Every structure is written in structure tokens, then in C-alpha cells.
Amino acid sequence: MQKYIFVTGGVVSGLGKGITAASLGRLLKARGLKVAAQKLDPYVNVDPGTMSPYQHGEVFVTEDGAETDLDLGHYERFIDEDLNRFSNLTTGKVFFNVINKERRGEYLGETVQYIPHITNEIKEFIYAVGKKTDADVVITEIGGTTGDIESQVFLEAIRQVQHEVGSENTLFIHVTLVPYLQGSGEHKSKPTQHSVKELQGMGIMPDIIVLRSDEPIRDESIKRKIAGFCNVKPDCVIENRTIPVLYEAPLMLEESHFSEIVCRELHLQTPPPDLTDWHTMIDKIRHRDQIVTIALVGKYVQLHDAYLSVAEALRHAGYEYGAKINIQWIDSETITDENVASVLGEANGILVPGGFGERGIEGMITAAKYARENNIPYLGICLGMQIAVIEFARNVLGYADANSGEFDSESRHKVIDFMPDQNENIDKGGTLRLGSYPCYITENTQMAACYHATVIHERHRHRYEFNNEYREELSSAGLLISGTSPDKRLVETVEIPENSFFIGVQFHPEFKSRPNKPHPLFLGLIGAALDNQK
């Protein structure tokens, strides 16, 4: 029988349910268990693919092409397991599936209701992720905050899961806030008590309570009080304090025997966790003795979560080189020909990440030109690759109006245009080129030097492509096409051979980077940036 762990949150959002779930996944995997993770989100969008990055942060893409919540990135980075389309479910997707079943007559004339039809759909999804991966343990995070109207149907569904598989096979973990009042110099347990009471009102009795606090909880009476009021065992109240490095979270939680308690409550017989590699990584992080500056030139920089995986991938590469990454968050709308040298002059490397829409594009093009002409290490991701192609066409080929069909449909030189078989009338949701695709790398290129391979597989999320009508012309002028699809039809990567490091890739390498397994392209960028610094 598979075991099911449900992580809920109370008091306020943003407490770190995702990090708690991801850390537990790492700890259980270190005990030899196969772990699957998923996130249930209460918003009505079918998926986050059409949501503004300012509202939701980045969209994380799985190997099989699902557009998902950014917390899934944490799951993959901590647990080091590829997730799938069963790893993220929204209210919108639940209703979409149920309504389609009703239209097809699959309910045989029944009146379709929240219970059992909506809750059954949620439960099928919860069970499916474990079956697909043959996991020993399925960790499911419930988005939102206990007490929210939109979360209630998900809480009812997980209550039913416990009834169906048995309490010995389910575990409820509730993450709550324990605020510290500076005036009185004490932590307060009342918000946690009210949150647990709300959860109990939904028929869910938490087994473990994780206390989120910025200040260390040194008064053990607080934990005893919470255990007594919330009806949990004393050692099942666990502190989750703010830490300087995200990846220290599993070790910090294990100080309270987190995974040991989880295994005890689920009747799992496992060896102690082998965290040797994780300790080695954390030790390496703590002893970084260099600093390198990377200018991240984007259009959503006001919300850093919009580029969460990119920032983490930069840090992963920094860990390997023993370097702290100083990310300069540059709003591309602020860059002009007149100020580009002063804005980017301190950067040892420049990264232009993905994005959609024409806002801020000219500033990105100016940044790419500055990197190319001054031999500053440059990595362009998705949109960043397209920017590099547009800049080269304008300033080397001399096509002043060169552009992407996304930004200027009237341009006479659309060096970037729609993918084959797509057009502007297509629905926006779920119609991009999504998921993992192979790429063939040309030998003796910067790409080959990074990957040490001739065939790679990377994840995509885009609609526009390199326009093959300009392929020969751009290549002849010095823009090297270093990676293509197996049939050679799609250009996947470009580079400037004369520069020390100048690569643009149509895919999103950041999604496959891990803290203990940095991605080759980010290693290449940081290595070149350190050389440039010297």
C-alpha cells in the first residue's frame, strides 16, 4: 500500500509549504524510499500557463510538457526526480475534466455535484501520480490557506483519501506561522491554535505541526502548549525557522527528527537517511570565497519569482565554482544605447531569460549587442536566444527592421516567426511547444564544450522559432547554428564563435538544474564570467 502525506498551510500564505514538502521528499529519498510529489492549486485557471508572471511567478515545465506551479521546481531540485502532468492540479482543471465527462455522458444522467464527482476527480489525480511513478510515498501539497473558500473541496477530498486507504497509510502535516512580537519578546501560539481548529472543522486532524518562524523558538513551552491544544504528540511539533541558504532546510528539519517521526507515524521501516552528499554540498556552499556579478536583463524583474529557476540555476553553478552569485536585476525597459555601458558595465556576465510580448524588447537587444561587441559572456534563454538573432540581423546583416513576428507583424525581415502549423489565431493556453525534445549538437562548438555530448534533451516552452529563410544568410555572416532538431528543421541553439562565451538556446535549461548537479550551460556561463572578471 502506498503512503500518502498531505501538507496544508494555515494563518497566512507564503510560509514555505513547498519547501517543507520538498525537504521531506529529499529526506525520505535519503532513507531509500521512492517519492512522488504533487501540488493541488485552488485557482480556477486550468493551468498557470496563461497567468501573468507578476501574479504567479514562473511557470515550471515538466519533461512531459505540463505547465505547472513553481513549487514543482522546488520538488525537482530537492528530490531530484522528474515530475509529470499528474504533479499539478488546479480547480480549473478539475472542473474542465468533470464538465467534459458530463458532456460525453460518462455520468449516465447523474446530477453532477461537488461530492462525489468533484472530489472523485481530485482523488483520481492523487492516486494517479503514485501509480505512474510506482512511488512508496506520495507527498501532496494543498495550495492556499486553511479557511479559504476555494480550498475546501481539496480538503474534503484528502479527508476522503484517509477514509479510503486508512489512517495508517496517511499523514497530515500542517505548516503554520508562529509570530514573534518584538514588544513583548515572545512567540505567540494563538494563530496556530485557530488554524488547526479550522482544519479540524473540515474533519482533518493534523499528525505533525510545522512551526514557521523568523526567530528561533527557544522556549520549549510554546511547542508543548501547541501539542496540547492541537492534540498532537509532543515530538510532532517541529520548528521550521528562516535560514540563510534554502538547501539547508532538510538538514534543519532533520535536527528535529522530521523524517524519523514521519516514518514512525506511517509505520515505515527504513534505515537512517544517508545525507552525506547533501552535507558535502552545504559545506561547499558555506565556504564560497568568490563573488561574480551576473546581470539578469528581463521584463518581470520586479518579482524575482518570475525567474526563480533561472536564479537558482545560477546559484547552483556558483556552488560548483565556490562563488557567490550577485544577481543584478535589470529592468530591460530602462536600458538604452546611451546608458547601456553604465548599467551593465559592472557585470561579469549577462543573461537574458524567457518572456512574452514586446515590452522591454529593445533594451534586451541593446544588452545583447553590448555583450557581443564587448565579449561579455552571454546566455540567452528562449526569448534571449531570439533576441540574440534579432540583434545580429540588425547590426551585422544591416536589417534595421529585423524583428520577431511576435513583436512586429509588419517587419520585412522577420528572422523569428511562428512555429510551423501555428498562427496568431490559435488559443493561447497549452498550445506552445512544450516539454522535452532532443537536440543534436555540432562538434567543436561552445555548446559541445559545455555538454560533452552530441545529443541532449531539454525542455521547451515557446511558440516562435528561428526563421529558416534567414538561416544561410545569418550563418554566412558569422552566427553559428550549433544545435538543431534531429531532422535539422528547427534551430535550437546559436552562438558567436569569436566570443569567449556567447550562446542562445531556444529551450529552458534552468528547469533541469539541481543544487548538487549544476546545469552545463550555467556552469559554462559562470566559468566564463569568472574568467572575464580576472
Side-chain angles (χ1 to χ4, degrees):
M1 173 65 72
Q2 287 174 328
K3 305 291 186 177
Y4 296 90
I5 299 173
F6 298 103
V7 181
T8 57
V11 186
V12 294
S13 61
L15 289 180
K17 296 192 304 295
I19 298 300
T20 300
S23 297
L24 178 58
R26 163 53 62 176
L27 293 170
L28 294 178
K29 185 177 180 181
R31 286 178 172 268
L33 296 169
K34 186 170 177 56
V35 179
Q38 65 180 181
K39 172 86 179 286
L40 309 184
D41 277 307
Y43 48 76
V44 185
N45 303 68
V46 173
D47 59 45
T50 58
M51 295 172 69
S52 167
Y54 284 126
Q55 288 199 9
H56 190 75
E58 76 172 9
V59 175
F60 188 83
V61 178
T62 59
E63 284 284 297
D64 60 357
E67 295 176 286
T68 70
D69 181 80
L70 57 79
D71 272 326
L72 270 69
H74 289 313
Y75 301 162
E76 286 207 0
R77 286 187 285 271
F78 276 74
I79 305 172
D80 194 19
E81 296 286 346
D82 290 336
L83 303 183
N84 55 61
R85 63 187 179 90
F86 295 110
S87 301
N88 196 203
L89 181 68
T90 69
T91 298
K93 189 178 291 183
V94 173
F95 278 90
F96 183 81
N97 292 345
V98 169
I99 289 171
N100 282 335
K101 288 180 179 179
E102 184 272 331
R103 292 289 84 186
R104 292 193 298 266
E106 292 186 24
Y107 296 123
L108 303 177
E110 292 182 36
T111 300
V112 180
Q113 298 175 295
Y114 273 81
I115 303 172
H117 301 95
I118 298 297
T119 52
N120 282 351
E121 189 72 24
I122 296 170
K123 288 186 295 182
E124 285 178 18
F125 199 86
I126 292 171
Y127 295 140
V129 71
K131 292 176 183 177
K132 181 175 176 63
T133 58
D134 193 29
D136 300 309
V137 179
V138 177
I139 301 175
T140 303
E141 177 192 350
I142 311 300
T145 306
T146 298
D148 294 345
I149 292 174
E150 56 263 34
S151 299
Q152 290 182 5
V153 68
F154 290 104
L155 296 177
E156 170 60 21
I158 65 175
R159 184 198 67 79
Q160 292 179 21
V161 169
Q162 184 182 54
H163 177 73
E164 291 173 4
V165 306
S167 58
E168 70 277 9
N169 295 313
T170 55
L171 187 79
F172 294 111
I173 299 174
H174 194 52
V175 182
T176 70
L177 176 68
V178 179
Y180 180 78
L181 300 187
Q182 293 285 353
S184 59
E186 60 182 342
H187 288 90
K188 289 296 183 180
S189 66
K190 192 64 69 178
T192 294
Q193 295 176 45
H194 283 296
S195 179
V196 171
K197 181 180 179 182
E198 187 81 35
L199 191 62
Q200 291 171 338
M202 296 293 297
I204 295 173
M205 309 298 159
D207 301 290
I208 296 174
I209 296 175
V210 175
L211 308 180
R212 184 74 170 84
S213 175
D214 286 333
E215 299 288 335
I217 303 175
R218 296 187 174 89
D219 186 355
E220 290 296 319
S221 66
I222 293 289
K223 297 179 183 178
R224 292 195 297 270
K225 183 177 182 181
I226 289 171
F229 274 95
C230 299
N231 197 31
V232 300
K233 298 173 184 176
D235 66 349
C236 288
V237 179
I238 292 174
E239 180 183 358
N240 181 2
R241 63 185 178 274
T242 302
I243 49 179
V245 177
L246 185 66
Y247 301 106
E248 292 184 23
L251 304 182
M252 180 263 295
L253 290 168
E254 193 62 8
E255 290 174 5
S256 301
H257 309 286
F258 189 29
S259 68
E260 179 184 336
I261 292 167
V262 166
C263 290
R264 181 192 72 197
E265 297 301 306
L266 285 172
H267 311 287
L268 287 167
Q269 302 298 321
T270 68
D274 182 3
L275 295 167
T276 305
D277 290 346
W278 208 258
H279 277 287
T280 300
M281 179 190 74
I282 295 300
D283 187 63
K284 186 183 294 186
I285 292 173
R286 289 172 177 167
H287 290 88
R288 289 170 291 168
D289 57 2
Q290 303 181 84
I291 298 177
V292 63
T293 298
I294 302 296
L296 192 154
V297 181
K299 57 172 67 180
Y300 315 119
V301 293
Q302 288 84 353
L303 180 67
H304 294 180
D305 273 359
Y307 302 114
L308 178 60
S309 290
V310 171
E312 288 303 309
L314 286 169
R315 295 183 183 111
H316 299 166
Y319 301 157
E320 188 68 21
Y321 281 105
K324 297 178 182 178
I325 307 299
N326 173 34
I327 300 177
Q328 288 183 323
W329 300 89
I330 308 295
D331 185 343
S332 60
E333 286 190 282
T334 66
I335 297 179
T336 65
D337 290 331
E338 289 72 28
N339 70 8
V340 62
S342 61
V343 173
L344 300 178
E346 298 299 316
N348 307 124
I350 296 171
L351 188 150
V352 177
F356 296 90
E358 63 180 321
R359 182 177 61 82
I361 294 302
E362 294 303 320
M364 294 180 186
I365 293 171
T366 302
K369 179 184 178 184
Y370 180 80
R372 179 179 61 81
E373 292 183 343
N374 293 279
N375 196 18
I376 307 298
Y378 175 92
L379 177 60
I381 295 175
C382 195
L383 173 61
M385 173 196 137
Q386 298 174 2
I387 291 295
V389 174
I390 294 170
E391 187 280 320
F392 194 90
R394 286 187 184 181
N395 298 304
V396 178
L397 290 184
Y399 296 144
D401 71 332
N403 218 321
S404 166
E406 180 182 8
F407 314 134
D408 183 5
S409 59
E410 303 301 319
S411 170
R412 292 179 296 111
H413 298 97
K414 287 187 275 191
V415 292
I416 305 293
D417 210 353
F418 279 114
M419 290 194 305
D421 307 321
Q422 293 214 352
N423 58 62
E424 61 187 5
N425 297 319
I426 197 167
D427 286 344
K428 296 295 185 287
T431 57
L432 302 167
R433 187 185 185 205
L434 293 165
S436 181
Y437 289 89
C439 170
Y440 280 41
I441 298 176
T442 304
E443 293 182 359
N444 301 316
T445 59
Q446 295 174 25
M447 281 288 294
C450 288
Y451 281 91
H452 303 290
T454 55
V455 182
I456 60 171
H457 291 78
E458 294 283 1
R459 302 179 194 180
H460 293 249
R461 183 176 182 253
H462 64 98
R463 192 185 309 282
Y464 289 81
E465 293 275 5
F466 184 106
N467 187 344
N468 282 325
E469 293 181 12
Y470 294 89
R471 193 164 177 168
E472 184 176 345
E473 196 172 359
L474 287 164
S475 297
S476 298
L479 184 69
L480 175 64
I481 296 172
S482 54
T484 66
S485 58
D487 61 6
K488 309 293 186 184
R489 292 179 62 234
L490 301 178
V491 172
E492 301 281 26
T493 75
V494 299
E495 55 190 67
I496 305 293
E498 291 76 20
N499 287 35
S500 61
F501 187 93
F502 191 107
I503 296 177
V505 297
Q506 188 59 78
F507 44 79
H508 286 267
E510 69 270 24
F511 294 146
K512 299 185 75 168
S513 185
R514 306 286 185 262
N516 51 352
K517 298 177 185 176
H519 192 281
L521 283 176
F522 286 88
L523 284 173
L525 174 65
I526 298 304
L530 286 166
D531 289 340
N532 178 58
Q533 184 184 59
K534 294 172 185 176

